[in-house]
Amino acid sequence: MRKVSKAAKAWDRGFRVLAAIGAASPAVFLAAIAAIVLVESIPTIRFMGFHFLTETRWDMGNLYGALTHRNGITAPAGATYGALVFIVGTLLSSIIALLIAVPVSVATALVLAYRVRGPLGFLLNILVELLAGIPSVVIGLWGILVLVPWIANAFAPFLKSILGFIPFFGGQTGTGYSLLASGIVLAMMTVPIITATTRDLLQQVPVLAREGGLGIGMTSWEVVRYIALPYIREGFIGAVALGWGRAMGETMAVLMVSGNATNILPQNLYSPISTMAAFIANQLDSAETDASGMAVHALSELALILLVITLATNLVARWLVRPRRREGVMAS
Amino acid sequence: MRRRRRKWKGALGWALAWLGFALVLFGLIDLVGSVLWQGLRSFRFSMLFQPTQGIAGGLENAILGTFELVLIGVVFAAPLGVLGGIFTSEFASPRLAAAIRFVAEVLSGVPSIVIGYFGYLLLVLHFHWGFSALAGGVALTLIMLPYILRTTDTSLQQVPLLQREAAWALGMTRTQAILKTVWRPAASGMATGLLLAIAIGLGETAPLLYTAGWNSNNPSLALTHSQVGYLTYVAYTYLDEPYAQARQLAYAAGFVLLMLILIIQLVVRFVVWRSSARGGRSAA
């Protein structure tokens, strides 16, 4: 019998090292992203302290005037960086997106998992997956072409006329570039994520459990309501958290339809807003023009907060959807 | 009475489910339809062979720039991702593999604008590359890498252990087994993942805003210190211009982009469907 040659063994070892480098690269990149964004935001953290999170005014200061010094940091006179508007915008728009996307996704997943099969089911599955692949700029394009005019002309007045007595629904209906438009556009982008995960979860519900339900005389809807949905509950919450993280980090579509409000908190559903991600994308020019470099550091802190929030939701989501063994059918 | 109420409840529930489903389909069709329709009306074939001039002109520079950026992204992301996927599936212990998968998932959850801003801070400012093809390409690498890693890993995981054991029994080292036999059944899945990663890269904007810049000339071969144009930038920026010509260019850019991505997606699905219909492995 021939032995494994030395050369083959050396190859094996070399390839293993190469593969390990590839496998380590995501961790390296992740650490690099976190480190760079953190280091670059230290000047703003020292300059603003907690006021970064609680103030609504974001002002670059007088870029061509005198400089001020505070806490050992030099900034343009009058500069103040308060991110509350963007944090609120991010949270509100993503929550509105979830309020729309969650019921719609559950409905779609139920239909895809239990109601269509064969070639038709295959086709419909593909269509929903296609939605996930559409670039956000194109969704933003649709937002400007179709959604914003529709909100301004029809939907916002309609909502106001029937729900206007509730504070957040009344008031000026605005131009359509709004919190509502951002929420709907974000819903378009989270629906495929939540739907795909939920559909997979629903397909994992044991057939025996479902047939057992039918066997004791439940209607097919009751099987869904009392057996399938409770069975997937934790995973489903994870899927929602995953979609939420995506919605908060989404940039372009929101940037295009949000109205890019600064320094003012949204008054109602129809007010323009801005999110952290959209604001960063929007501020390239000011980052380039601020000679003191504070704008770059301030945006960096915004990126840091966004990173922390999305990572936190992601971690919770992964923890909830992690694959696990189940004891009994009804153990939920 | 009670039975009838339960029946009605069931009918109502399923009706609502179908309604939600119809809403999603309607949204998708309205989206694709209106963007394609507007794009078709604004698209001219001459746009493919003309660079942008001021607010009008063509898309040649943007199309070439997009391809250049995605190419650079793939050149970095594909080897790293494929090797990483191989390591995760073939060499790592279960716990290490779970850790790598977890980190890759977390990286794919980092908002794309944060990746773009990271590229700006590190590559554009610290490394003094300026807005450039290389900086944009590296930003795209970070987007594509976790995706390629995961699809490589999943398609290798679907290869039965028996095939590896047969190769080891012939006296192959693990590396030889992977490079000579194990990769073959997984190849279609890996290719699918790569193509979908390219589709993702084509459609990205946020990571490029801060790294690639914009250029109305065709991309040069310089990797650094030379800005590059790309399609999504046209679609985003020119829409805000008050001129009809500029907006037409934006619609046309969205149209070209959507067509490219739809074609890739449909080709991939079709291939997957064909191979699964033939009793082959369903991929990724």
Side-chain angles (χ1 to χ4, degrees):
Chain A
M1 198 176 98
R2 242 184 68 188
K3 270 190 165 174
V4 178
S5 72
K6 276 233 172 75
K9 271 189 183 163
W11 258 108
D12 189 44
R13 226 166 287 141
F15 186 75
R16 241 175 237 235
V17 172
L18 273 184
I21 291 172
S25 58
V28 173
F29 286 136
L30 199 59
I33 292 172
I36 296 281
V37 174
L38 177 64
V39 168
E40 287 288 332
S41 50
I42 286 175
T44 337
I45 296 174
R46 285 174 57 192
F47 186 69
M48 291 300 295
F50 276 107
H51 293 292
F52 190 82
L53 301 177
T54 55
E55 275 187 25
T56 56
R57 219 163 73 81
W58 184 286
D59 192 333
M60 309 283 306
N62 182 358
L63 294 182
Y64 308 103
L67 299 171
T68 55
H69 304 275
R70 193 186 338 152
N71 301 338
I73 302 294
T74 309
T80 179
Y81 307 99
L84 187 64
V85 174
F86 313 119
I87 297 172
V88 168
T90 304
L91 291 178
L92 279 182
S93 60
S94 57
I95 287 171
I96 290 175
L98 284 187
L99 287 180
I100 301 170
V102 166
V104 170
S105 305
V106 173
T108 312
L110 281 176
V111 169
L112 287 180
Y114 295 147
R115 273 294 178 267
V116 289
R117 54 173 64 82
L120 178 68
F122 181 76
L123 183 75
L124 293 177
N125 269 306
I126 281 189
L127 281 181
V128 173
E129 278 165 27
L130 217 55
L131 190 55
I134 291 179
S136 57
V137 150
V138 172
I139 295 189
L141 210 69
W142 170 77
I144 292 179
L145 271 178
V146 180
L147 184 66
V148 165
W150 178 66
I151 288 181
N153 299 331
F155 193 53
F158 169 74
L159 264 188
K160 188 185 172 185
S161 68
I162 56 167
L163 294 169
F165 59 92
I166 307 168
F168 215 60
F169 288 88
Q172 293 272 321
T173 53
T175 57
Y177 291 91
S178 56
L179 180 58
L180 185 61
S182 317
I184 294 177
V185 155
L186 283 176
M188 289 286 280
M189 314 195 69
T190 40
V191 159
I193 300 173
I194 303 180
T195 302
T197 322
T198 310
R199 180 198 60 202
D200 294 346
L201 288 166
L202 284 173
Q203 281 165 346
Q204 284 165 19
V205 176
V207 176
L208 269 183
R210 295 202 282 128
E211 284 175 350
L214 292 175
I216 58 169
M218 287 177 156
T219 61
S220 65
W221 178 254
E222 284 166 339
V223 170
V224 165
R225 174 68 190 79
Y226 297 108
I227 295 176
L229 290 182
Y231 187 88
I232 66 163
R233 195 177 53 207
E234 280 171 20
F236 175 70
I237 294 171
V240 172
L242 204 64
W244 194 21
R246 227 21 94 73
M248 287 193 292
E250 178 45 49
T251 313
M252 295 315 294
V254 179
L255 177 60
M256 291 165 85
V257 302
S258 66
N260 295 321
T262 47
N263 299 343
I264 183 160
L265 288 169
Q267 303 303 307
N268 59 21
L269 206 51
Y270 324 111
S271 333
I273 57 150
S274 191
T275 66
M276 289 187 268
F279 186 69
I280 296 174
N282 201 16
Q283 287 296 300
L284 176 61
D285 288 340
S286 60
E288 291 279 278
T289 46
D290 187 351
S292 72
M294 269 313 280
V296 172
H297 297 306
L299 291 176
S300 183
E301 187 173 358
L302 209 52
L304 178 70
I305 293 173
L306 182 60
L307 183 67
V308 168
I309 294 181
T310 47
L311 285 192
T313 45
N314 250 293
L315 293 186
V316 172
R318 298 287 162 204
W319 183 72
L320 286 170
V321 279
R322 74 191 184 282
R324 70 189 85 184
R325 254 166 305 190
R326 289 182 175 273
E327 298 289 315
V329 167
M330 289 305 288
S332 55
Chain B
M1 254 320 270
R2 187 146 171 265
R3 193 194 298 162
R4 197 187 282 163
R5 210 177 62 219
R6 286 175 53 208
K7 246 187 181 165
W8 270 108
K9 256 189 176 168
L12 186 71
W14 281 116
L16 284 178
W18 278 106
L19 189 71
F21 181 66
L23 199 65
V24 172
L25 273 193
F26 172 74
L28 176 70
I29 291 167
D30 189 41
L31 196 164
V32 173
S34 56
V35 171
L36 285 188
W37 171 238
Q38 277 288 351
L40 261 182
R41 289 202 308 181
S42 328
F43 181 75
R44 307 271 175 283
F45 269 102
S46 60
M47 282 179 174
L48 294 178
F49 310 105
Q50 263 179 5
T52 321
Q53 286 147 357
I55 50 133
L59 296 166
E60 191 189 18
N61 54 330
I63 294 172
L64 290 178
T66 301
F67 285 145
E68 185 186 5
L69 289 166
V70 170
L71 183 72
I72 296 175
V74 167
V75 162
F76 289 120
L80 283 176
V82 169
L83 283 171
I86 290 176
F87 186 86
T88 314
S89 167
E90 305 296 316
F91 293 126
S93 66
R95 284 190 61 173
L96 183 58
I100 296 170
R101 281 179 199 130
F102 179 73
V103 170
E105 294 286 337
V106 172
L107 181 61
S108 72
V110 173
S112 53
I113 185 71
V114 173
I115 288 180
Y117 201 69
F118 158 76
Y120 176 70
L121 293 173
L122 184 69
L123 308 175
V124 175
L125 295 183
H126 277 272
F127 289 180
H128 297 292
W129 288 356
F131 294 105
S132 57
L134 195 58
V138 170
L140 285 185
T141 301
L142 294 193
I143 304 274
M144 294 189 229
L145 170 68
Y147 198 80
I148 297 177
L149 193 149
R150 195 181 56 213
T151 44
T152 308
D153 176 33
T154 12
S155 33
L156 281 173
Q157 284 284 302
Q158 286 169 354
V159 178
L161 185 63
L162 200 65
Q163 191 152 0
R164 292 183 190 98
E165 287 173 338
W168 299 336
L170 289 173
M172 288 189 191
T173 61
R174 288 200 161 219
T175 303
Q176 284 171 332
I178 295 161
L179 295 183
K180 293 204 168 125
T181 71
V182 178
W183 73 274
R184 279 167 205 275
S188 77
M190 283 153 69
T192 310
L194 210 59
L195 268 180
L196 290 180
I198 289 174
I200 291 174
L202 284 176
E204 281 292 353
T205 323
L208 298 175
L209 280 177
Y210 269 93
T211 50
W214 164 252
N215 196 337
S216 55
N217 296 317
N218 283 336
S220 63
L221 286 175
L223 284 179
T224 57
H225 300 291
S226 159
Q227 307 199 11
V228 234
Y230 46 96
L231 276 174
T232 45
Y233 182 91
V234 181
Y236 157 57
T237 317
Y238 281 52
L239 209 56
D240 276 348
E241 301 283 340
Y243 309 102
Q245 271 179 314
R247 259 178 275 145
Q248 280 190 349
L249 206 59
Y251 297 144
F255 173 74
V256 173
L257 197 66
L258 193 58
M259 286 306 280
L260 276 175
I261 286 169
L262 285 183
I263 288 170
I264 294 183
Q265 292 263 356
L266 290 179
V267 164
V268 164
R269 308 283 169 206
F270 182 70
V271 169
V272 170
W273 173 68
R274 275 276 298 273
S275 68
S276 66
R278 278 204 316 251
R281 216 164 308 284
S282 70

